[in-house]
Amino acid sequence: MALSIRIIPCLDVTEGRVVKGVNFTDLVDAGDPVEMASLYNLEGADELTFLDISASSSNRETTLDVVRKTAEQVFIPLTVGGGIRSVDDVDRLLRAGADKVSINTSAIARPELIAEIADRFGSQVLTISIDARRARTESGFEVTTHGGRQSAGLDALSWVEKACALGAGEILLNSMDADGTRAGYDIGMITAVRAISKVPLIASGGAGALEDFAAALDAGADALLAASVFHFGIHRIGDVKRYLSAQGYSIRNNATA
């Protein structure tokens, strides 16, 4: 029996507010993270991802208070990322109510952190977030950091393979070219990563039309992350689930409102 796919709203947070832009620029306020998390929980989100998108670039830790308040309001898995640099940071987030953590910049700077977290807490709590874009690398995709503002000098597929070997539990693959554009997920990128990785793959960046969600699943994604289409009411989570169900995909019916 096929596993049910996951629909995951992403809350990009800076200075305590949810924001959204295009390619991580021209950010606009989208709301209060705790209120939005509560709504998505009621609407039937399968998980929530909370990313403090300025934590790495401004050298701040993720705001634990917002994580605690969010965790008190939701009853689905919560993944938290931003500013995580050690196993102690992970421990604090898990104690604050996170179910999983997502790391990006810190893993690139010190890859052994992946193994340290996996060894202490288990791979199931560790998501490796990869902000990738098309570039002249061996695979055609490169890794970026700091909200896509800096090249990491890494081939994206090589980094996926290394992260998985070190203990990554799942990959959150965000197309920086597509992010916020609503022009569709980067199908080529999803297909390429799926071909080399057996861990669960979350597609992110570019969700617009309902057909985009199905296309990402067909390319090999196990879960679908989106932000602006949910934050600004273009689609409700129920709309996406009903569409995918009608197309024959296995979805979870967990809405409570």
Side-chain angles (χ1 to χ4, degrees):
M1 182 178 176
L3 293 176
S4 296
I5 57 96
R6 293 172 284 154
I7 303 298
I8 309 172
C10 181
L11 306 178
D12 293 323
V13 178
T14 185
E15 297 180 359
R17 299 289 293 180
V18 178
V19 295
K20 194 58 193 169
V22 177
N23 307 130
F24 278 73
T25 62
D26 300 323
L27 300 177
V28 296
D29 188 288
D32 176 79
V34 180
E35 291 177 1
M36 294 178 73
S38 265
L39 174 62
Y40 291 142
N41 179 70
L42 291 172
E43 285 192 344
D46 299 302
E47 296 183 9
L48 286 168
T49 292
F50 174 105
L51 299 177
D52 188 338
I53 62 172
S54 62
S56 294
S57 58
S58 62
N59 237 3
R60 288 186 295 104
E61 290 187 1
T62 302
T63 307
L64 291 175
D65 186 49
V66 177
V67 175
R68 289 190 191 97
K69 289 178 180 176
T70 302
E72 289 170 0
Q73 296 295 320
V74 303
F75 305 99
I76 52 178
L78 173 65
T79 299
V80 182
I84 299 169
R85 300 177 182 85
S86 68
V87 292
D88 289 338
D89 290 337
V90 175
D91 186 62
R92 280 191 286 272
L93 285 167
L94 295 177
R95 291 176 184 277
D99 298 282
K100 295 186 283 187
V101 297
S102 174
I103 60 174
N104 184 345
T105 307
S106 58
I108 293 168
R110 198 169 68 84
E112 55 267 33
L113 178 61
I114 298 172
E116 292 170 6
I117 295 171
D119 288 346
R120 179 163 170 184
F121 303 103
S123 292
Q124 76 279 356
V125 308
L126 180 57
T127 300
I128 302 300
S129 179
I130 300 176
D131 293 334
R133 65 187 175 196
R134 291 177 178 265
R136 292 182 177 178
T137 65
E138 183 177 349
S139 70
F141 306 102
E142 73 170 351
V143 179
T144 68
T145 61
H146 297 80
R149 293 188 294 277
Q150 297 180 23
S151 170
L154 293 172
D155 178 84
L157 296 194
S158 297
W159 177 231
V160 168
E161 290 180 318
K162 183 172 184 177
C164 290
L166 287 168
E170 65 182 359
I171 299 294
L172 170 54
L173 182 67
N174 185 43
S175 167
M176 296 308 299
D177 298 313
D179 183 83
T181 65
R182 302 177 200 161
Y185 293 96
D186 189 325
I187 301 305
M189 183 185 293
I190 296 168
T191 302
V193 171
R194 176 78 290 159
I196 62 164
S197 171
K198 290 185 170 64
V199 304
L201 174 60
I202 305 170
S204 172
L210 292 173
E211 292 81 1
D212 296 336
F213 292 90
L217 294 174
D218 290 341
D222 300 288
L224 303 167
L225 183 143
S228 61
V229 292
F230 294 143
H231 299 343
F232 302 123
I234 296 167
H235 300 303
R236 299 260 55 91
I237 292 169
D239 298 334
V240 176
K241 289 194 165 189
R242 281 187 291 273
Y243 173 80
L244 292 176
S245 180
Q247 300 302 310
Y249 298 97
S250 177
I251 60 103
R252 304 173 188 177
N253 292 303
N254 54 348
T256 57

